[in-house]
Amino acid sequence: MSQVLSQSEVDALLSAVSDNRVDADDDGGDEGLQSGVVQYDLANQDRIIRGRMPTLDIIHDRFIRLFRVTLSNSLRKMANLSVNSTGPLKFSEFMNSLPLPSCLNILRLDPLRGAAVMVIESKLLYALVDSFFGGNDVPYTKIEGKDFTQIEIKIARRVVLSAIDDLEKAWEPVYPLKIGYSRTEINPQFVAVVPPSDVVIATTFDVELEKVSGTIKIVIPYSTLEPIKSKLSVGFQSEQLEVDFIWINRVKEQIMQTTANLVVKLGEANIQLRDIMNLEIGDIIQLDTDATMPLDVLVEGVPKFKGIPGLLKGNRAIRVTESMFDL
């Protein structure tokens, strides 16, 4: 023992043993062993997610910038969006947190396997419907237990399709996705994109209108993102996610100033070494090229053009008639 007991503690321990309140043979080893053992269930083991996915945060930031403009233009009033939270959790936990009814929209993520879910909060959907029809975006006071009408579902689909376009643009620089709208469900029990024990990446976006605020949630199964995890976990990613035309033009200018060797191949001839040794001034070497056919123009030894030889201001020249670039 690393700690010495005092006399009063020794007396208390002996008194407890004599009264059979403590088993003298029990040294507490079994209890300590049991407290340190965690049961391992191979059939229901949570997936361990290691490392963050910073590129996914950049994709979400780009999405809210794009969708803020799209939603504001559609409503003809200012709408503000922000990322509330992003993190992994079990699919069953997420579904149990949803109220009834909920506007759950199933999305396909081609070419990735699996489906995503976009959830529009009920009070936000009612406010959007009110705004689209010229109202002042004040939601209903009692939402629980109220089913969505066909008009409300169509408005929800319109909002989702607009969000899909912006979501595709946000993903394009990292991994181009073709996102398709599948269907809309009201009851969370009918949305089984993955088993309840599977892990999903849930992102909550806060949407603020003039008089009401709500949330839009995008849920993507972790198994769907796992094949491209390396693209989402890179340590550095440009926040702009746009083509840098300034850099491209600068590189293009430098390339245009580069010098290159240009050679015109007149033709070839196979002759014996004996004939070469016997050559005299005025002898003619027959080439394998027809005088009327275009000649190959080589750039650094690589055929790139065809042209016809001639004279220009007293100098030998060639007129390019054909390009041999592989387009």
Side-chain angles (χ1 to χ4, degrees):
M1 296 178 62
S2 60
Q3 183 179 0
V4 179
L5 298 178
S6 63
Q7 185 61 41
S8 60
E9 291 173 337
V10 173
D11 294 340
L13 180 60
L14 293 175
S15 175
V17 172
S18 62
D19 295 341
N20 294 326
R21 288 179 292 166
V22 176
D23 189 0
D25 296 332
D26 186 8
D27 59 357
D30 293 341
E31 182 179 357
L33 181 62
Q34 293 178 0
S35 62
V37 174
V38 178
Q39 293 184 355
Y40 188 89
D41 187 358
L42 291 174
N44 189 24
Q45 176 65 14
D46 293 340
R47 185 186 299 269
I48 300 176
I49 301 177
R50 295 183 175 90
R52 294 179 62 254
M53 292 184 283
T55 306
L56 192 61
D57 297 334
I58 298 175
I59 293 173
H60 292 156
D61 289 339
R62 178 171 169 79
F63 167 69
I64 62 177
R65 289 198 300 268
L66 295 171
F67 191 53
R68 180 189 298 121
V69 176
T70 302
L71 191 60
S72 298
N73 292 338
S74 300
L75 299 176
R76 302 189 185 279
K77 62 177 65 176
M78 184 58 66
N80 188 28
L81 279 83
S82 60
V83 179
N84 185 314
S85 61
T86 300
L89 74 161
K90 283 187 177 181
F91 185 64
S92 59
E93 296 177 3
F94 172 76
M95 298 307 290
N96 292 335
S97 66
L98 297 177
L100 187 67
S102 295
C103 182
L104 300 101
N105 304 275
I106 314 301
L107 309 178
R108 300 184 306 273
L109 305 177
D110 296 330
L112 298 177
R113 298 182 61 183
V117 182
M118 180 179 292
V119 183
I120 303 177
E121 190 177 2
S122 299
K123 67 174 183 177
L124 177 62
L125 177 58
Y126 290 134
L128 291 174
V129 172
D130 195 58
S131 297
F132 274 116
F133 287 99
N136 54 0
D137 63 46
V138 176
Y140 294 103
T141 56
K142 185 179 180 181
I143 298 176
E144 292 78 7
K146 182 182 182 302
D147 291 337
F148 299 124
T149 64
Q150 289 299 319
I151 294 178
E152 291 165 348
I153 293 177
K154 288 184 178 180
I155 294 297
R157 180 178 179 180
R158 177 179 175 181
V159 174
V160 171
L161 292 177
S162 300
I164 284 175
D165 292 338
D166 293 333
L167 200 57
E168 287 180 348
K169 294 177 183 177
W171 272 91
E172 186 175 3
V174 178
Y175 189 83
L177 291 178
K178 184 63 178 177
I179 305 176
Y181 170 82
S182 181
R183 68 184 190 277
T184 298
E185 294 288 350
I186 298 176
N187 194 332
Q189 295 180 356
F190 299 142
V191 180
V193 293
V194 290
S197 60
D198 277 17
V199 176
V200 295
I201 305 298
T203 304
T204 302
F205 301 93
D206 289 334
V207 182
E208 297 181 3
L209 303 179
E210 292 180 354
K211 297 182 180 180
V212 71
S213 63
T215 60
I216 293 179
K217 299 180 181 180
I218 298 179
V219 179
I220 304 177
Y222 181 76
S223 57
T224 299
L225 297 178
E226 199 167 17
I228 59 171
K229 185 181 177 182
S230 59
K231 295 180 179 292
L232 302 176
S233 303
V234 292
F236 172 80
Q237 179 75 24
S238 172
E239 293 187 3
Q240 188 177 2
L241 291 179
E242 295 283 354
V243 179
D244 193 346
F245 292 103
I246 297 178
W247 175 256
I248 291 176
N249 292 333
R250 188 172 300 172
V251 173
K252 186 177 180 180
E253 289 177 3
Q254 297 295 326
I255 293 176
M256 290 301 179
Q257 296 176 6
T258 304
T259 58
N261 251 343
L262 197 70
V263 177
V264 178
K265 185 177 179 181
L266 298 178
E268 296 180 351
N270 293 322
I271 59 176
Q272 297 180 355
L273 182 59
R274 182 189 309 110
D275 297 332
I276 294 178
M277 299 300 294
N278 295 329
L279 284 176
E280 297 179 357
I281 299 176
D283 288 345
I284 297 175
I285 301 176
Q286 180 97 23
L287 301 179
D288 61 353
T289 305
D290 193 337
T292 60
M293 296 297 293
L295 303 176
D296 288 341
V297 180
L298 285 70
V299 179
E300 296 293 339
V302 181
K304 291 297 181 182
F305 304 98
K306 286 185 177 294
I308 299 175
L311 294 175
L312 179 64
K313 297 181 180 181
N315 298 317
R316 287 185 173 85
I318 186 165
R319 179 164 59 89
V320 176
T321 58
E322 183 182 347
S323 175
M324 299 173 63
F325 282 97
D326 295 331
L327 300 178

